[in-house]
Amino acid sequence: MSGQTYAIGELAQHFDVTTRTIRFYEQEGLLSPERRGKTRVYHEKDRVRLKLALRGKRLGFSLIEIREVLDLYDTRHDGSVRQLERLLEILADKRANLERQLEDIRIMQRELDQVEERCKGALGELKAAEKRS
């Protein structure tokens, strides 16, 4: 392999994760760095896979789903119809879940606004009562 290579510490710093996180993803089969003695040498493919894995984690993908997406990424140019359909299923499921979460957040914001207004009203009444006393 040729091209840009990275040490584990460089990737950890770049993505603001621990080296332990990177080793975990390696243990789970999501990354497969080249070995030079005891040293791990990560190539551009590993960097991209780590980036996608971390993004998948932030979006709530399971390790199995992350692995599926990464495998599809690796075979995207010759991926099968079934692989692409599976990726679309995963994405649709995640999108639906995000929509539900967004609605839950909107509801919670409205409820917080109502509680805040009641608190402000009660506080104003208490302060006015103190001034009268």
Side-chain angles (χ1 to χ4, degrees):
M1 281 188 173
S2 61
Q4 176 76 39
T5 61
Y6 308 89
I8 192 169
E10 291 174 310
L11 287 179
Q13 184 177 2
H14 179 75
F15 290 108
D16 194 27
V17 296
T18 64
T19 56
R20 184 175 181 199
T21 297
I22 295 172
R23 286 191 299 272
F24 172 77
Y25 284 133
E26 183 182 340
Q27 178 185 335
E28 292 297 316
L30 302 178
L31 302 173
S32 52
E34 177 185 347
R35 297 286 186 152
R36 292 184 188 157
K38 291 185 176 185
T39 305
R40 293 172 170 90
V41 179
Y42 296 88
H43 293 274
E44 185 62 19
K45 177 182 175 181
D46 298 304
R47 189 192 69 76
V48 171
R49 287 177 67 92
L50 179 58
K51 177 178 153 183
L52 292 172
L54 293 170
R55 184 174 294 147
K57 180 184 172 209
R58 279 194 313 273
L59 293 173
F61 282 45
S62 69
L63 279 176
I64 292 170
E65 291 168 330
I66 290 171
R67 185 174 294 108
E68 282 184 274
V69 170
L70 291 176
D71 290 346
L72 290 171
Y73 172 79
D74 288 344
T75 61
R76 70 176 181 240
H77 298 295
D78 60 346
S80 70
V81 169
R82 181 63 200 128
Q83 286 175 316
L84 295 173
E85 288 173 343
R86 176 63 185 135
L87 180 56
L88 289 172
E89 289 171 6
I90 292 170
L91 294 174
D93 182 56
K94 293 301 171 193
R95 184 179 307 276
N97 190 41
L98 286 172
E99 290 296 330
R100 284 190 297 273
Q101 289 175 336
L102 276 172
E103 183 55 28
D104 288 343
I105 289 169
R106 288 183 194 108
I107 290 169
M108 180 63 80
Q109 285 176 322
R110 287 191 298 269
E111 290 173 357
L112 290 173
D113 289 345
Q114 292 169 358
V115 169
E116 182 180 34
E117 287 304 312
R118 285 196 304 265
C119 286
K120 286 178 180 178
L123 183 59
E125 289 174 15
L126 287 172
K127 285 182 177 181
E130 284 179 356
K131 285 182 181 178
R132 289 190 299 261
S133 306

